[in-house]
Amino acid sequence: MARRALKLASLAAATTGVYLYGNKFLDPNDFGVVRVGRAIATTAVITYDYLTSLRSVPYGSEEYDVLKSQVHLRSAERLRELCCANRGTFIKVGQHLGALDYLLPEEYTRTLKVLHSQAPQSTRQEVEQVIREDLGKEIKELFASFEDTPLGAASLAQVHKAVLQDGRTVAVKVQHPKVQAQSSKDILLMEVLLLVVKQIFPDFEFMWLVEEAKKNLPLELDFLNEGRNAEKVAHMLKDFDFLKVPRIYWELSTRRVLLMEFMEGGQVNDRAYMKRNGIDVNEISRNLGKLYSEMIFVNGFVHCDPHPGNVLVKKCPASGKAHIILLDHGLYQVLSESFRMDYCRLWQALIKADMKRVQKYSRRLGAGDLYPLFACMLTARSWESVNRGIDRSPVSASEDVEIRSNAAAYLPQITQLLNNVPRQMLLLLKTNDLLRGIESALHTRASASSFLNMSRCCIRAVSTYQRSKNRSLYRRAQISLTEALSLWQINLYELFLWLKGSRLGNWVVALLSWMHHST
């Protein structure tokens, strides 16, 4: 009798297990032991590879460099597989690493970039579950139609197109149901593993990555915070008529569900889309630079995830103007006034090639004796170009290769710098690299206009700060006059550059040349 009861219980358990697994209620990734074991195994294999593969090769030799590149690539691929398997927070951190062009070896950034297009998708049942739990109603009660296939899936959430009962077309952002519960455990796991690796490799300094995840992930998981960020930046930059930020529908938004105005367009790095739709890539690049210079230098409130999926472009049929649509407002960096002023003055020094001030403000931002490396990291230019003036010449192919090679050669120094600089700097470096990636795709990188816009914003920001610290009307007037003269000089220089590149400018040059030869 007991044996028969045991058989029935076993059969029932097996049947239930098969049913749950088949219906996606039981996922191996939900078990902490599976996620932890996978992360430990991957870390151990990568560590062992670095310890053994380079041991018998002379440091600095050509063979060493080739072998090191192969180890970087193998390790990056293992890391990518771990992120894809554990999903959620792991993919988010992997995406962050993949965005650090010119700061990490190319093998890592190139391999991890694909995580932007390999994010997991929640099932229809999981989406319904989150909406039911947070809004208290079924999808069919809330929406006249709801597309099953998401418009896009990210590491923390996915977005569906839907139509409300009153006919409004909306974008519905729904958080993956298991991310919230797993995120804090995943971050703790990463912290422990990084501490262990640092014991083996003392030069390995990546704790800043965990610290940033600890601070930013809870904010990104709160969609009400994202909605507030969207409204704040839309109000802050309301004078930029080319910028569009989706409106938030608060009555149907919660910490895990966000309803927004539906907006569509081509990705900002899609030159073919812009050509088909008659959009000027130089105008888009220029306006994107204006947008981010205003956020960073003037307002100190910075959208820190401008990867192409979050920045769309579209030509308005009525006005014929090209609009930039800014999406995904979960990750913002708020810059303190003192940091923002030092950063403004550093960029002014970099643009003017004033090496004394570059050294001074780099040190104030935590770079210490590594200030030349810091300047190269900020500008993604060689030290020779920084000394010559970063606005004097565009990046050449050989210089780009040199910079990427240096990212691997100076990895210990780069990680040391990332540990020493203020935490506010970390997301700005990521943002800079993402923006450079867009410029590279549009073939507009290092244009003079981008540096002129940065200069304008820096001048305005420093002048506003100086006026706020002075009570003397005479001194305030003096600051305003200096500001106006500096902005006028930039406008004059921009006019000169325009004339130089225009047909009229070519005629004037030809006429002057003819007159010179005639005399």
Side-chain angles (χ1 to χ4, degrees):
M1 187 72 180
R3 188 177 294 176
R4 187 179 176 191
L6 185 59
K7 282 184 179 178
L8 287 171
S10 301
L11 182 61
T15 305
T16 304
V18 171
Y19 174 76
L20 289 172
Y21 186 82
N23 283 276
K24 305 294 183 183
F25 292 117
L26 188 64
D27 187 335
N29 284 296
D30 294 341
F31 293 104
V33 67
V34 174
R35 300 169 66 79
V36 171
R38 187 186 287 128
I40 291 174
T42 302
T43 305
V45 170
I46 290 173
T47 303
Y48 181 78
D49 199 357
Y50 275 105
L51 280 172
T52 58
S53 298
L54 302 172
R55 189 167 50 192
S56 58
V57 185
Y59 178 80
S61 64
E62 187 177 337
E63 185 185 357
Y64 182 91
D65 291 339
V66 171
L67 202 56
K68 185 172 68 171
S69 177
Q70 292 171 357
V71 178
H72 282 335
L73 185 58
R74 286 198 300 268
S75 301
E77 288 170 347
R78 288 168 182 143
L79 194 56
R80 181 193 62 204
E81 289 166 9
L82 171 64
C83 293
C84 289
N86 276 11
R87 302 180 301 192
T89 310
F90 281 82
I91 286 187
K92 190 72 186 176
V93 171
Q95 288 173 341
H96 186 93
L97 290 172
L100 295 177
D101 279 323
Y102 310 103
L103 300 185
L104 294 180
E106 187 187 8
E107 294 87 353
Y108 276 93
T109 56
R110 187 179 68 241
T111 304
L112 295 175
K113 269 188 192 334
V114 301
L115 291 174
H116 280 294
S117 59
Q118 288 189 0
Q121 288 187 16
S122 293
T123 63
R124 169 76 181 213
Q125 289 79 10
E126 288 173 325
V127 170
E128 286 177 344
Q129 175 193 338
V130 173
I131 290 175
R132 188 187 309 116
E133 289 174 356
D134 280 39
L135 298 177
K137 291 184 178 180
E138 300 293 336
I139 283 180
K140 61 184 178 183
E141 296 177 75
L142 295 166
F143 305 103
S145 68
F146 188 95
E147 292 188 3
D148 284 348
T149 304
L151 295 169
S155 54
L156 306 181
Q158 61 193 48
V159 179
H160 293 261
K161 184 178 180 182
V163 178
L164 292 170
Q165 298 292 359
D166 60 11
R168 288 177 293 176
T169 303
V170 294
V172 186
K173 185 172 182 177
V174 184
Q175 195 173 112
H176 298 313
K178 298 158 191 168
V179 167
Q180 194 84 242
Q182 292 171 344
S183 60
S184 57
K185 297 169 189 172
D186 286 346
I187 291 172
L188 178 61
L189 172 60
M190 290 179 200
E191 186 172 19
V192 171
L193 291 175
L194 286 174
L195 284 170
V196 170
V197 172
K198 182 166 170 52
Q199 293 301 311
I200 302 169
F201 301 105
D203 289 338
F204 186 86
E205 299 275 2
F206 271 83
M207 292 312 297
W208 57 270
L209 191 62
V210 173
E211 289 168 17
E212 283 299 292
K214 274 184 181 176
K215 184 182 75 174
N216 294 317
L217 202 59
L219 296 174
E220 290 189 79
L221 289 169
D222 180 2
F223 290 175
L224 295 177
N225 176 66
E226 179 176 343
R228 289 190 291 269
N229 286 343
E231 290 195 340
K232 181 176 178 178
V233 81
H235 176 73
M236 193 175 75
L237 302 174
K238 61 182 183 296
D239 293 336
F240 289 148
D241 59 355
F242 60 81
L243 174 65
K244 300 298 172 187
V245 176
R247 176 188 168 194
I248 306 298
Y249 298 115
W250 289 108
E251 68 277 12
L252 290 172
S253 294
T254 69
R255 287 173 65 89
R256 294 195 301 167
V257 179
L258 187 66
L259 250 73
M260 303 163 280
E261 176 186 4
F262 177 74
M263 290 185 172
E264 59 185 339
Q267 289 194 356
V268 71
N269 62 344
D270 190 344
R271 281 176 62 89
Y273 171 88
M274 294 190 206
K275 187 176 181 180
R276 286 196 308 272
N277 290 275
I279 297 173
D280 182 357
V281 294
N282 291 303
E283 180 189 356
I284 292 297
S285 185
R286 192 162 52 245
N287 286 341
L288 194 61
K290 283 182 185 177
L291 190 64
Y292 270 86
S293 292
E294 192 79 15
M295 281 194 274
I296 292 169
F297 300 114
V298 178
N299 295 293
F301 185 67
V302 190
H303 179 284
C304 286
D305 202 10
H307 77 76
N310 290 339
V311 186
L312 307 181
V313 293
K314 187 176 183 181
K315 192 166 188 176
C316 177
S319 64
K321 289 184 178 179
H323 290 158
I324 293 176
I325 302 166
L326 200 57
L327 306 174
D328 197 347
H329 299 270
L331 186 59
Y332 271 76
Q333 181 65 275
V334 180
L335 308 180
S336 67
E337 189 174 63
S338 59
F339 174 90
R340 186 166 55 87
M341 287 301 103
D342 285 341
Y343 195 61
C344 277
R345 289 177 171 123
L346 174 56
W347 267 105
Q348 285 180 307
L350 286 166
I351 291 168
K352 293 177 181 177
D354 184 341
M355 290 300 108
K356 284 186 179 179
R357 285 167 63 85
V358 167
Q359 180 177 351
K360 175 184 175 180
Y361 289 107
S362 294
R363 287 182 181 278
R364 287 182 62 161
L365 289 169
D369 291 336
L370 294 173
Y371 70 90
L373 178 61
F374 185 54
C376 295
M377 286 165 62
L378 276 179
T379 58
R381 301 298 300 268
S382 67
W383 181 238
E384 182 185 345
S385 294
V386 171
N387 275 276
R388 190 171 60 242
I390 54 176
D391 63 336
R392 300 294 169 85
S393 59
V395 184
S396 64
S398 59
E399 185 183 1
D400 202 36
V401 170
E402 178 190 344
I403 296 161
R404 290 182 182 277
S405 300
N406 285 342
Y410 292 99
L411 185 58
Q413 291 87 344
I414 289 171
T415 53
Q416 182 187 336
L417 254 177
L418 294 175
N419 261 326
N420 292 341
V421 296
R423 300 297 93 185
Q424 300 166 83
M425 181 63 71
L426 299 176
L427 284 179
L428 284 188
L429 288 167
K430 172 194 171 184
T431 304
N432 285 347
D433 279 347
L434 286 168
L435 291 172
R436 283 190 202 104
I438 292 169
E439 288 178 343
S440 294
L442 298 181
H443 303 162
T444 59
R445 189 162 163 221
S447 63
S449 64
S450 65
F451 294 120
L452 293 176
N453 285 325
M454 287 173 70
S455 296
R456 285 191 184 96
C457 286
C458 289
I459 289 166
R460 285 169 47 218
V462 171
S463 299
T464 301
Y465 172 76
Q466 289 174 336
R467 278 193 295 269
S468 72
K469 299 299 178 184
N470 277 280
R471 294 186 178 180
S472 164
L473 288 176
Y474 171 76
R475 179 63 185 137
R476 286 184 180 181
Q478 197 177 36
I479 292 166
S480 296
L481 180 60
T482 303
E483 176 188 8
L485 286 171
S486 298
L487 293 173
W488 179 78
Q489 284 178 328
I490 291 175
N491 291 339
L492 197 62
Y493 181 58
E494 191 169 42
L495 177 62
F496 165 74
L497 290 177
W498 178 81
L499 282 171
K500 186 179 175 183
S502 68
R503 186 174 296 177
L504 176 62
N506 290 332
W507 286 346
V508 170
V509 170
L511 178 63
L512 290 173
S513 178
W514 176 79
M515 290 174 66
H516 173 73
H517 287 301
S518 296
T519 56

